Amino acid sequence: MNNSYISSEMKKLELLKKINQLEGLTNDEKALLINLVSTKKKYGLVWDDKPEDVEEILREYLPILKEDNSRAIQSSSIAPNHILIEGDNLHALTALTFTHEGKIDVIYIDPPYNTGARDWKYNNNYVDETDPYRHSKWLAMMSRRLVIAKKLLAREGIIMVTIDDYEMHHLWCLLEQIFGYENHLGTIAIRINPGGRKSKRKVAAQHEYAIIFAKSPETKIAKIVVHPDDKSHSYEQDADGTWYELRNLRKEGQDSLAKEDAKRYYPIYRNPETGQISTKEIFSQEIWPLDTKGVKRIWRRGKGDIDELFQLGNVLYKETKYGPQIYFKFRGGTEFETPKSFWDDKKYSASEHGTRILDNILNEREKFPFPKSLHAVKDCLLLGSDKKDAIILDFFAGSGTSLHATMELNKEDGGCRQCILVTNNENNICQDVTYERNKRVIVGYGEIEGIANNNLRYFQCDFIGRENTLKNKQLLTSMATALLRIKENCYTEIQEYCENKKAWGQLFGNSVDEYLLIILDESMVDEAVEIIKKVIKNNENAAIKVYIFSNGQYPYTEEFDEVIKHITLCALPDAIYNAYNSILPDLKRTDIPELEEPTAQETDQTLELEPFPILNLENTE
């Protein structure tokens, strides 16, 4: 072991002892000093974790969701239930940890780019290029949300974040820190501005990035459909309508050399008069797998395969300047291929296929700045998952392109993907743009027919006291209906079984025989059992999730013994507390004095960079 390291550790121990012996310090103050001394540096980003007002709210209150039924769009009981949440995304993400932890297949987000052009707020103030903590605020904001996003992802889930040069390098490091180096699935450069961003002294940027990470090392990027006409190789259409690429039957590359024992180095025989081909010595013309320089190679296929290919009409003979060649029709890769890292198609232009599409839908120009190309988002969602029932989350929803793209994909392939959008309502964006856009996509606008087989439900963030009192527990349970309906995907209230019982019980269902029974009064278990019996009598395939208020963790299992094999029990609000506890900040303390905000001269802009590999982002702009 390095002697300097031992010496350093001994000095650290001595310093820790001295801290413990200091007088005039509280235990908390000593703990803070000990933590500062003991903390080891590690590779990664370092930034000032600036307080965020929306997080401070969570020290006193718990977020819940309430539904605005006046904005609900119900087209079919079997259609996917898309969700739009109005509120700060940190609050909404916290609520979603109860409803969707480990369930999201694809997260696609387009966060603020932090260009310095006052395009986003931190604690109700715009962050511009003069803000000395500009990068730290952005990273603090993103980090809090990405940590929760990881919890929401399914094990094979994928997150993709679009960004440009202003924060790309910082974001990449942050994602790597949270998701792990081994889970980086690639970064795509997308040409969104063919003309280039206007600049007097900088390169005219044409593209932005989509950084893609997985939750686990087992996850693979999904292959996407590419029409043969759009492929870089030359495909032709056969008489039966199928596509093929004509390839030389002679193998190429480093592993194509014919060794002494090579089984696929042999002649192919051809009848010069009829053009027939065989691997059997029945025709006069011999064709060997020799390359243009006469080097011995091997065939791509075995003898049996070649004879079968010829019988199917998939082997062709050509006379070239290098001599006779055998070709075959390669039919693989005509539908799916691995996405490439550079997307330059015109359909990704943000102005043409983002702004113009949005303007046409809303019948109003420039209602929202810089919406994403609908086609770019569709392709991102496709490479995120090949599941037609994928659950998609976008918690920087903006104009709502992600939901529009989801509905378009379902229309194209008959899928039933579900999309969850989250955005605040600054300048009425959620109500006037995000909601209105997707409402019109569903019901139709102008001469454009709507994509009718979709439901849209509108929720708003609300709060209740966080203190663990009986009153707050009862209040949380009574206000948890929206959360429970989202979690169980049961939205249709069934009143026939709960007549005159709404004060203590509600029953909801869906089209696949799933039911949600909410019991607000634990003394009404006997009546609840009778409701369950009626449901089972009318539907023996019913799967019933029962949530019952309990001042503790006990869900009254014995009391439901008569119907226990037909139900799943859960105690409220303990289930919600358990979901929230791992991500909520500590309860607010009143014994900590407020610190004054330092001036620009006092910030870490005046400091030098930490020694490598620590990166201090607030060096200079």
Side-chain angles (χ1 to χ4, degrees):
M1 185 177 290
N2 190 300
N3 288 333
S4 63
Y5 174 80
I6 296 174
S7 176
S8 174
E9 289 299 302
M10 291 178 66
K11 291 179 180 179
K12 185 183 293 185
L13 288 173
E14 292 174 2
L15 183 55
L16 292 174
K17 290 179 182 178
K18 290 180 180 179
I19 291 173
N20 269 321
Q21 295 170 358
L22 287 174
E23 296 181 358
L25 294 178
T26 67
N27 288 334
D28 284 349
E29 289 169 337
K30 289 180 181 180
L32 177 60
L33 290 173
I34 289 172
N35 184 58
L36 289 172
V37 173
S38 302
T39 301
K40 294 181 179 179
K41 292 181 178 181
K42 62 179 182 178
Y43 180 84
L45 289 171
V46 176
W47 68 89
D48 265 342
D49 191 12
K50 309 303 292 179
E52 194 174 358
D53 287 350
V54 293
E55 184 183 35
E56 293 305 304
I57 290 174
L58 298 179
R59 297 189 191 279
E60 297 185 69
Y61 300 97
L62 294 176
I64 59 168
L65 301 177
K66 60 180 183 180
E67 185 168 8
D68 183 347
N69 292 306
S70 68
R71 289 191 168 89
I73 301 172
Q74 177 79 29
S75 63
S76 168
S77 62
I78 61 173
N81 290 300
H82 307 297
I83 295 168
L84 172 56
I85 302 174
E86 175 194 322
D88 186 89
N89 53 17
L90 183 63
H91 301 153
L93 287 170
T94 303
L96 289 173
T97 57
F98 172 67
T99 64
H100 281 81
E101 182 171 354
K103 294 181 180 179
I104 303 295
D105 297 294
V106 182
I107 294 177
Y108 171 90
I109 55 174
D110 179 40
Y113 284 8
N114 199 16
T115 64
R118 297 170 63 86
D119 59 344
W120 69 289
K121 288 182 177 181
Y122 199 83
N123 295 344
N124 297 317
N125 293 316
Y126 281 109
V127 179
D128 60 25
E129 60 185 2
T130 65
D131 192 315
Y133 284 117
R134 174 177 147 204
H135 290 305
S136 280
K137 289 179 178 178
W138 190 87
L139 278 167
M141 179 271 295
M142 290 297 297
S143 177
R144 293 184 185 103
R145 289 151 179 81
L146 290 174
V147 167
I148 303 176
K150 184 179 180 181
K151 291 177 69 70
L152 297 179
L153 277 178
R155 176 165 177 78
E156 295 184 354
I158 282 176
I159 181 170
M160 56 192 71
V161 189
T162 56
I163 201 70
D164 70 0
D165 290 328
Y166 286 94
E167 292 288 358
M168 193 272 189
H169 45 307
H170 300 152
L171 176 63
W172 191 326
C173 290
L174 180 62
L175 288 167
E176 186 176 290
Q177 206 163 282
I178 294 172
F179 290 90
Y181 170 82
E182 69 281 3
N183 289 326
H184 178 228
L185 298 182
T187 298
I188 299 171
I190 308 175
R191 192 177 72 162
I192 63 167
N193 186 353
R197 184 190 297 153
K198 294 180 180 179
S199 175
K200 293 181 179 180
R201 57 184 290 265
K202 298 180 180 180
V203 171
Q206 294 179 297
H207 69 283
E208 64 181 18
Y209 308 92
I211 309 176
I212 309 167
F213 274 80
K215 186 172 182 178
S216 69
E218 293 80 21
T219 303
K220 298 179 181 178
I221 208 78
K223 294 188 176 182
I224 59 175
V225 177
V226 179
H227 192 274
D229 286 343
D230 299 328
K231 283 180 169 285
S232 56
H233 299 291
S234 178
Y235 277 79
E236 301 177 42
Q237 197 165 18
D238 222 336
D240 62 358
T242 60
W243 294 83
Y244 68 89
E245 178 193 6
L246 207 57
R247 293 186 179 181
N248 200 313
L249 189 58
R250 184 189 70 245
K251 192 171 177 61
E252 300 171 348
Q254 293 182 349
D255 60 345
S256 66
L257 292 174
K259 300 178 181 178
E260 291 185 7
D261 57 346
K263 294 182 179 180
R264 281 187 278 159
Y265 180 72
Y266 51 82
I268 292 177
Y269 299 93
R270 175 177 178 270
N271 185 332
E273 296 180 0
T274 63
Q276 288 178 282
I277 287 174
S278 175
T279 57
K280 300 175 183 178
E281 195 176 351
I282 55 176
F283 302 126
S284 59
Q285 185 180 3
E286 284 186 0
I287 304 171
W288 292 83
L290 305 177
D291 65 17
T292 56
K293 296 181 179 179
V295 177
K296 295 179 180 180
R297 305 283 178 175
I298 60 174
W299 299 115
R300 293 177 183 266
R301 302 285 190 270
K303 291 184 178 181
D305 290 339
I306 293 175
D307 288 333
E308 183 178 354
L309 283 170
F310 178 77
Q311 294 298 324
L312 294 172
N314 290 329
V315 175
L316 304 174
Y317 169 86
K318 282 190 177 183
E319 190 68 46
T320 73
K321 63 180 180 180
Y322 302 110
Q325 303 288 326
I326 302 291
Y327 291 84
F328 75 106
K329 295 179 180 179
F330 174 72
R331 300 184 184 276
T334 55
E335 294 184 354
F336 301 95
E337 71 174 24
T338 301
K340 303 298 189 295
S341 62
F342 181 54
W343 294 2
D344 64 342
D345 196 292
K346 292 180 180 179
K347 68 181 182 179
Y348 301 129
S349 168
S351 59
E352 186 70 20
H353 300 284
T355 302
R356 184 169 296 184
I357 287 176
L358 182 62
D359 289 349
N360 289 339
I361 295 173
L362 298 178
N363 195 27
E364 189 173 351
R365 291 190 59 79
E366 299 180 356
K367 190 76 173 178
F368 180 86
F370 314 120
K372 283 286 179 285
S373 161
L374 178 65
H375 304 290
V377 178
K378 283 172 63 177
D379 284 355
C380 282
L381 298 183
L382 282 174
L383 67 85
S385 176
D386 55 9
K387 294 170 58 177
K388 291 186 178 182
D389 61 348
I391 301 178
I392 297 159
L393 170 63
D394 180 354
F395 52 88
F396 285 99
S399 69
T401 308
S402 295
L403 175 51
H404 188 174
T406 300
M407 293 189 287
E408 288 282 353
L409 290 176
N410 286 342
K411 178 183 177 181
E412 291 171 8
D413 62 16
C416 57
R417 300 169 185 84
Q418 181 197 24
C419 186
I420 303 171
L421 298 180
V422 181
T423 184
N424 61 33
N425 198 35
E426 183 180 344
N427 298 322
N428 278 349
I429 177 181
C430 188
Q431 298 178 9
D432 294 349
V433 180
T434 321
Y435 170 77
E436 191 62 33
R437 170 191 189 158
N438 285 289
K439 172 188 174 182
R440 297 185 185 192
V441 169
I442 295 173
V443 303
Y445 57 95
E447 297 180 357
I448 305 299
E449 185 178 350
I451 308 177
N453 193 34
N454 290 279
N455 302 327
L456 178 58
R457 302 188 178 276
Y458 193 104
F459 297 86
Q460 293 170 315
C461 285
D462 202 351
F463 302 92
I464 68 162
R466 182 174 164 182
E467 289 186 359
N468 198 12
T469 64
L470 178 59
K471 180 180 179 181
N472 279 344
K473 286 182 177 181
Q474 291 172 331
L475 184 60
L476 176 56
T477 302
S478 66
M479 296 182 68
T481 302
L483 283 174
L484 298 175
R485 293 170 75 194
I486 293 171
K487 182 177 176 65
E488 303 303 332
N489 194 34
C490 291
Y491 292 96
T492 303
E493 186 169 9
I494 305 172
Q495 298 181 1
E496 59 183 289
Y497 299 118
C498 295
E499 191 174 354
N500 302 321
K501 298 177 176 64
K502 196 166 184 179
W504 62 265
Q506 284 182 286
L507 181 68
F508 301 90
N510 61 27
S511 61
V512 290
D513 299 328
E514 294 172 341
Y515 294 85
L516 162 66
L517 177 60
I518 305 172
I519 305 170
L520 302 179
D521 186 345
E522 68 272 31
S523 68
M524 307 301 290
V525 170
D526 291 342
E527 287 84 347
V529 169
E530 293 304 312
I531 292 173
I532 294 170
K533 286 181 180 179
K534 292 178 182 178
V535 174
I536 296 170
K537 181 179 179 180
N538 290 333
N539 186 352
E540 60 182 14
N541 296 319
I544 308 171
K545 189 70 175 284
V546 179
Y547 288 90
I548 182 169
F549 171 76
S550 174
N551 193 27
Q553 301 177 1
Y554 180 57
Y556 299 90
T557 307
E558 293 182 4
E559 287 79 353
F560 284 93
D561 183 66
E562 192 176 352
V563 292
I564 198 67
K565 67 178 182 180
H566 299 283
I567 67 174
T568 302
L569 279 168
C570 190
L572 283 179
D574 190 67
I576 301 175
Y577 285 137
N578 288 340
Y580 285 6
N581 280 342
S582 62
I583 59 171
L584 285 172
D586 294 335
L587 284 167
K588 186 171 183 178
R589 293 178 55 182
T590 58
D591 60 338
I592 302 175
E594 294 290 336
L595 297 178
E596 292 185 4
E597 186 76 9
T599 64
Q601 289 76 24
E602 296 171 330
T603 67
D604 50 357
Q605 279 194 328
T606 62
L607 301 179
E608 295 182 356
L609 284 172
E610 296 274 2
F612 183 86
I614 301 298
L615 176 59
N616 186 328
L617 292 179
E618 306 304 336
N619 176 34
T620 56
E621 291 298 340

